[in-house]
Amino acid sequence: MADRLDALDLAVLTALTEQPRAGVLELSRRLGVARATVQARLRRLEETGVVTGYGPDVDVAAAGFGVQAFVTLEIAQGALDDVAEDLRAIPGVLEAHATTGSGDVLCRLAAESHGALQETLLRLGRSPSVVRSTSVVALSELVPRRVLPLLASGTPRPAGRAPGYRAGAAGD
């Protein structure tokens, strides 16, 4: 999103985080703004890629995959696309990021046991694109994935009118 989020955007995102299953009408009641305003904000947040989905957040440990690890991969020169394809083919790879520094790719893995984690690590090592890997097993999660503190850390712009909203329209 080119512009910073404004106070209403943050309020909408906070309300959705607190009650992910709330509908537009419920959000408008909680926020004290018109339903059309909430709908327009959500549409803009979706179109600009700020809101990427409404699927359930899944706790992989609760789903039976309690062993997690972070793996740094050093890959062959120019092999980023190939290693990305290899990583997508391994179900235990939850996410992977190209990085700077001594490694080239940082991955987060999950497995149901240490033995299953070892199998995933061996499979990673069989990729012709991977030159070397270093893994660290995660013992506990200290800060779960979150975005609201970051979004709220700046001084938000005052809430403005939703795009296409006429000046003086009722409920805004």
Side-chain angles (χ1 to χ4, degrees):
M1 177 175 231
D3 296 326
R4 285 190 331 226
L5 301 174
D6 69 19
L8 183 55
D9 293 329
L10 290 174
V12 169
L13 292 170
T14 300
L16 271 176
T17 301
E18 292 169 355
Q19 282 191 300
R21 296 174 61 147
V24 173
L25 184 59
E26 174 63 24
L27 291 172
S28 71
R29 287 181 182 148
R30 285 188 63 192
L31 300 174
V33 296
R35 181 189 55 76
T37 300
V38 172
Q39 220 163 13
R41 290 305 177 106
L42 283 172
R43 184 174 39 256
R44 184 173 54 83
L45 291 167
E46 292 166 358
E47 288 171 355
T48 57
V50 173
V51 172
T52 58
Y54 296 92
D57 292 332
V58 176
D59 182 326
V60 294
F65 300 91
V67 179
Q68 292 191 40
F70 295 91
V71 179
T72 301
L73 302 177
E74 294 176 33
I75 63 173
Q77 189 72 29
L80 191 59
D81 290 340
D82 293 335
V83 81
E85 186 177 329
D86 292 344
L87 293 172
R88 280 191 289 272
I90 300 172
V93 176
L94 300 179
E95 58 186 291
H97 303 269
T99 60
T100 62
S102 59
D104 301 305
V105 177
L106 178 65
C107 305
R108 185 166 66 103
L109 309 180
E112 56 193 12
S113 66
H114 288 95
L117 175 63
Q118 183 176 7
E119 286 301 316
T120 300
L121 293 170
L122 290 171
R123 187 170 173 190
L124 277 173
R126 286 193 290 270
S127 168
S129 303
V130 175
V131 174
R132 179 183 178 148
S133 69
T134 305
S135 58
V136 178
V137 173
L139 299 176
S140 63
E141 182 178 77
L142 301 178
V143 178
R145 185 182 188 286
R146 61 194 186 141
V147 295
L148 287 178
L150 174 64
L151 297 178
S153 68
T155 305
R157 296 181 297 117
R161 297 201 181 282
Y165 226 84
R166 294 185 327 267
D172 190 38

